Amino acid sequence: MTDFDADSWAARFTLLSDPTRLRLVAEMHAHPGSTVAELAAAVGITENAASQSIRALRDQGWVRSEKAGRMVHYEVVGDAIVHRILHDIIGVGHIAPGHGHDHAHP
């Protein structure tokens, strides 16, 4: 068996057992650069709930943020495992440029 940090991976995958966090990850993947307000609206939760879930996802390395002025944009980390989970297992796709959320960040 290959050496790997089972505890770390278990903690990362535990995050996906929560439907809200899973919806947020899928939404961030489909719409990279979304703000908390956009993500909250897309998954039907409050901005506060979205912020708390995003914080947990960032702490475990699933999500990264980029600040542009006063706005913070979020996206899923470009990790090959994360990408395979989202596409191959969950079936999340990408939104074509020009469709989806209306924000300046790609």
Side-chain angles (χ1 to χ4, degrees):
M1 185 162 141
T2 304
D3 288 336
F4 69 99
D5 184 353
D7 292 335
S8 176
W9 278 104
R12 286 183 80 192
F13 289 128
T14 296
L15 289 175
L16 296 184
S17 68
D18 177 80
T20 297
R21 289 189 297 255
L22 184 55
R23 285 184 189 101
L24 286 167
V25 168
E27 186 67 22
M28 280 183 262
H29 184 68
H31 301 279
S34 295
T35 64
V36 169
E38 291 168 334
L39 293 166
V43 301
I45 59 175
T46 66
E47 289 183 36
N48 187 45
S51 290
Q52 290 177 9
S53 290
I54 291 168
R55 185 177 312 114
L57 291 164
R58 276 184 35 205
D59 289 349
Q60 284 296 322
W62 283 93
V63 170
R64 70 172 154 244
S65 63
E66 182 178 316
K67 192 166 184 172
R70 294 188 318 193
M71 301 297 289
V72 179
H73 301 275
Y74 297 94
E75 65 184 22
V76 175
V77 171
D79 177 308
I81 298 296
V82 172
H83 203 256
R84 286 195 62 196
I85 290 168
L86 290 169
H87 284 276
D88 299 343
I89 298 171
I90 299 173
V92 175
H94 292 273
I95 301 300
H99 296 86
H101 297 311
D102 183 23
H103 53 74
H105 194 76

